Amino acid sequence: MTAENALEDRLPNWSQDMPTVQEVGEIMRTFGGWDYSVFGFMLVTCGLIGVYFGFVKKSSGEDEYLVGGRNMKTIPVSMSLIASFISGISLLGTPTEVYVHGTSYLCVGFGVIIVGFVMSGIYLPVFHELKVTSTYEYLERRFNKKIRLLGSMLFSISVMTWLPIVIYVPALAFNQVTGVNVHIVTPFVCIVCIFYTCVGGLRAVVWTDFTQTFVMFGSMLLIIIKGTSDVGGFSLVIRRNQESGRLELPSTDWSPLTRHTIWSLTIGGFFHWLQIAAINQSMMQRYLALPTLRSARRALWIFIFGVLAIMGICGYAGMLIYAWYHECDPLTTKLAGAKDQLLPLLVMNILSDFPGLPGLFVAGVFSAALSSLSTGLNSMAAVVLEDFVKPFRKTPFTPKMADILMKLTVVVLGVICVGLVFVVEKTGSHVLQLSTSLASITSGPSLGIFSMGVLLPWVNAKGALIGGLSGLGFMGWISLSAEAAIASGRLKFDEKPVTTEGCYYSFPQVENLMLFDPPVSILEDDSFLPEPLALYRLSYLWYTVTGALVTMSVALAVSLISSQNVEKLDPMLLAPFIRRFVKTSDKVQQIEVGNLEVGLEPRRTREESAAESVLLG
């Protein structure tokens, strides 16, 4: 079956009179009462979970609100990690990436696997043993308050640039299947998310994520199984993608300017996902909600395998989209208004005859978005309270005042993110690349600062501060300049071939544009557009590692000049395998031995035992 066959019965007299793209688009928008009911049921369920944890099983304090009392169960937390990591950006952006550029992007999964090993052995033991609420507490213990504030500011910037994209993407899907304006559905859905995040705290966020993960996986599996069956089978999907050059491995080109190579996907992807998984407050807050390091590691590996599974499903969905539209590209004809509306378009082709199923898909995409939004807002509440307010107050907050501040933070930041959707709408990038590029402005410096903290004991606070600011300024310049070049058309990327030769509908507006020559002024402007700098053409996958290297290089240079007394450093602030090489002063040893004697669990982890042996000499 093809897209043409799927619509044959719904197009009046289409064999005699070729319909227009506008008519086809209207006919495909069959989002009915059952679909709205399924979508509404998902929102109501999320709201009820918030009511339960906000009014029935109320949080007893800020520790309960932010880290779930540190006694949550592994499976719900693992599902929450997956849901938080896989936003609507991944569900819609990954299929689009495969459709437009081919399957090479999927090799980023190798970088995700490496993240699991590195995080398990280096970052997770440090944060979990210190029992912090905000990961940026670590920066104050390792360096000073200024570095903690810098780390918190970097995180806040990253969240406030990422969340509007997270909100915008599912609104695009909703617009494709219903025709409802993006700026109508966005505030409505976000109010529900802000509500349950505000009143329920981390427990509500985790359990809504748990529910949303099953909706997300279920909707995607339904699409690929039904779509593969309708199009003619798995072998046909593979053959059509192979013939078009989409089914491919990444190149081994050593040039960092090539958009996707095996090196940029594996190495660059590793550093990008390491920053998200290992030091990001949104993710680490869930690991800190688990009672032991062992349970946190178990949650980590469930998360890794879950992410690889959903990435594989989304990648195959992109191949399926091409198998359906291989003779009539919906982007050229404007049947899909934006690149990231391709998957919703496919959904309406294969599921529109089944009332309620398009609603399940939209619920799945919004579930991914809501989980990411709620995670970001809850994490920002933790950062604002722990890093921006508490350190500057001489008197502690009462529990009631802390609760009001956290909930007010969630509401205010949620409203700001909804407003920033207007800005995201004006960008010209595909959202998967856009989100990675903007995130790298802060992710590179953040990863550099934390990595220096746990791996390089001779880096001091002055070096970390100057290095972090240098990395932020450098990556801000590179990333924003590259996005401006993309938006202006000066920077373009090679795309896989498409055709409109087999279209069963007309698209007169596009065809008319093709018939007329552009004005002379446009030709002159294009001919004099300056060539982007080589740095602007750097692959977006190298952004995070570049920012981290700039940060660490400057910090090391400054620290070597100003020196650092390593003997005064608490070894528990370092990665387990680094601790054995650090010689500490007698005073630090006595403090740490006392801490160990008071706080050790009956059964110690291997890292704890190693740390004690170092401290005791």
Side-chain angles (χ1 to χ4, degrees):
M1 183 181 288
T2 63
E4 178 179 346
N5 301 135
L7 285 174
E8 182 173 350
D9 295 334
R10 285 179 275 158
L11 288 169
N13 301 321
W14 80 280
S15 56
Q16 290 80 23
D17 302 313
M18 182 176 283
T20 65
V21 65
Q22 289 84 4
E23 291 172 338
V24 172
E26 288 299 323
I27 291 169
M28 292 179 67
R29 286 173 180 154
T30 56
F31 205 79
W34 281 103
D35 300 300
Y36 281 108
S37 299
V38 172
F39 178 59
F41 179 75
M42 184 271 293
L43 293 179
V44 170
T45 302
C46 294
L48 291 177
I49 292 173
V51 170
Y52 176 73
F53 286 105
F55 301 103
V56 179
K57 197 174 181 180
K58 294 182 67 174
S59 301
S60 56
E62 64 184 71
D63 197 55
E64 182 80 17
Y65 186 88
L66 295 175
V67 288
R70 302 185 192 273
N71 62 353
M72 298 199 69
K73 302 298 182 183
T74 302
I75 296 299
V77 169
S78 302
M79 296 297 106
S80 177
L81 286 165
I82 295 169
S84 302
F85 187 84
I86 301 296
S87 65
I89 296 171
S90 301
L91 290 187
L92 298 184
T94 304
T96 300
E97 172 66 35
V98 171
Y99 178 88
V100 175
H101 298 289
T103 58
S104 60
Y105 173 78
L106 299 180
C107 287
V108 77
F110 293 117
V112 175
I113 295 172
I114 301 172
V115 166
F117 289 103
V118 172
M119 185 176 170
S120 178
I122 296 178
Y123 296 91
L124 195 57
V126 174
F127 294 123
H128 211 277
E129 289 166 5
L130 291 174
K131 301 295 182 186
V132 294
T133 299
S134 164
T135 54
Y136 306 102
E137 291 178 44
Y138 167 83
L139 294 180
E140 181 176 354
R141 297 191 193 183
R142 173 64 177 84
F143 298 111
N144 58 29
K145 284 187 177 181
K146 290 180 181 179
I147 307 302
R148 177 178 181 173
L149 187 61
L150 174 61
S152 303
M153 289 178 62
L154 291 174
F155 172 74
S156 302
I157 294 170
S158 68
V159 169
M160 297 309 291
T161 54
W162 178 63
L163 287 183
I165 305 175
V166 168
I167 300 168
Y168 175 65
V169 170
L172 276 180
F174 198 79
N175 171 260
Q176 179 67 41
V177 299
T178 66
V180 176
N181 188 282
V182 166
H183 301 294
I184 294 176
V185 67
T186 298
F188 176 74
V189 174
C190 289
I191 287 172
V192 177
C193 182
I194 293 168
F195 168 75
Y196 73 73
T197 306
C198 177
V199 302
L202 185 71
R203 288 188 180 275
V205 171
V206 166
W207 282 104
T208 50
D209 287 352
F210 180 77
T211 305
Q212 290 160 355
T213 303
F214 289 100
V215 177
M216 183 171 63
F217 270 98
S219 61
M220 290 302 295
L221 286 172
L222 175 66
I223 293 165
I224 64 171
I225 292 171
K226 179 71 167 55
T228 301
S229 174
D230 287 354
V231 81
F234 178 76
S235 60
L236 183 64
V237 173
I238 297 298
R239 178 167 59 82
R240 286 180 176 172
N241 279 272
Q242 197 168 21
E243 290 172 351
S244 69
R246 282 171 172 77
L247 191 61
E248 62 178 0
L249 292 173
S251 73
T252 55
D253 185 1
W254 286 98
S255 171
L257 306 184
T258 304
R259 185 171 182 267
H260 283 167
T261 65
I262 188 63
W263 319 114
S264 65
L265 289 163
T266 304
I267 302 172
F270 158 70
F271 281 100
H272 174 69
W273 298 124
L274 179 66
Q275 187 277 331
I276 294 174
I279 65 169
N280 190 291
Q281 172 70 17
S282 301
M283 303 294 287
M284 189 56 65
Q285 198 168 334
R286 277 143 186 75
Y287 294 112
L288 298 175
L290 293 166
T292 64
L293 179 59
R294 183 178 179 183
S295 60
R297 281 179 169 149
R298 190 183 302 119
L300 167 64
W301 283 108
I302 295 173
F303 158 71
I304 293 292
F305 287 119
V307 166
L308 292 175
I310 197 68
M311 284 178 64
I313 292 171
C314 291
Y316 179 76
M319 297 169 63
L320 184 61
I321 293 170
Y322 179 75
W324 269 79
Y325 302 110
H326 69 290
E327 292 183 338
C328 185
D329 175 41
L331 294 176
T332 303
T333 65
K334 301 301 180 184
L335 183 60
K339 287 181 178 180
D340 298 287
Q341 290 182 326
L342 286 170
L343 186 61
L345 180 67
L346 177 67
V347 168
M348 296 313 296
N349 257 322
I350 63 179
L351 298 180
S352 57
D353 290 334
F354 301 88
L357 293 188
L360 178 64
F361 164 74
V362 173
V365 175
F366 268 104
S367 291
L370 290 176
S371 61
S372 300
L373 178 60
S374 61
T375 296
L377 294 178
N378 185 257
S379 301
M380 280 300 298
V383 167
V384 168
L385 178 66
E386 299 291 335
D387 301 327
F388 291 146
V389 179
K390 276 188 175 181
F392 301 98
R393 279 183 62 89
K394 296 181 180 179
T395 57
F397 276 113
T398 63
K400 185 177 181 181
M401 284 298 298
D403 184 63
I404 292 173
L405 177 62
M406 290 185 292
K407 292 178 178 178
L408 185 63
T409 300
V410 169
V411 173
V412 172
L413 294 181
V415 172
I416 293 174
C417 288
V418 172
L420 289 175
V421 170
F422 286 93
V423 179
V424 175
E425 192 178 25
K426 302 301 180 184
T427 61
S429 295
H430 159 43
V431 293
L432 192 65
Q433 176 170 334
L434 175 64
S435 62
T436 304
S437 299
L438 293 182
S440 66
I441 297 175
T442 56
S443 62
S446 294
L447 181 61
I449 292 172
F450 276 98
S451 297
M452 289 186 297
V454 298
L455 297 174
L456 304 178
W458 53 86
V459 172
N460 60 24
K462 182 183 292 185
L465 179 62
I466 297 175
L469 293 174
S470 301
L472 177 65
F474 183 78
M475 291 314 302
W477 166 50
I478 296 298
S479 181
L480 294 177
S481 298
E483 286 304 317
I486 292 172
S488 66
R490 292 189 296 125
L491 185 58
K492 296 181 180 180
F493 304 100
D494 293 335
E495 298 180 355
K496 297 298 181 183
V498 293
T499 182
T500 58
E501 292 179 358
C503 289
Y504 56 92
Y505 55 86
S506 64
F507 36 102
Q509 291 181 338
V510 179
E511 291 170 329
N512 290 340
L513 286 175
M514 294 177 178
L515 294 175
F516 292 100
D517 292 329
V520 176
S521 60
I522 295 179
L523 292 174
E524 290 176 349
D525 289 341
D526 286 342
S527 63
F528 287 102
L529 282 176
E531 181 74 15
L533 292 176
L535 272 175
Y536 301 167
R537 293 185 281 119
L538 181 70
S539 171
Y540 70 100
L541 289 166
W542 289 115
Y543 282 6
T544 298
V545 65
T546 301
L549 286 175
V550 169
T551 299
M552 296 176 76
S553 300
V554 173
L556 278 170
V558 173
S559 298
L560 289 174
I561 295 171
S562 55
S563 76
Q564 159 82 339
N565 189 345
V566 178
E567 291 189 358
K568 292 183 179 180
L569 192 62
D570 179 357
M572 299 303 288
L573 297 170
L574 303 172
F577 75 94
I578 297 290
R579 295 170 188 168
R580 68 189 66 179
F581 303 111
V582 177
K583 181 181 179 182
T584 58
S585 64
D586 293 338
K587 182 177 179 181
V588 173
Q589 287 185 20
Q590 291 169 6
I591 293 172
E592 293 306 320
V593 169
N595 290 341
L596 288 168
E597 290 174 349
V598 172
L600 272 180
E601 297 176 1
R603 297 183 66 182
R604 300 170 221 175
T605 65
R606 186 176 300 171
E607 289 76 19
E608 289 171 332
S609 300
E612 185 178 8
S613 64
V614 171
L615 293 170
L616 295 175

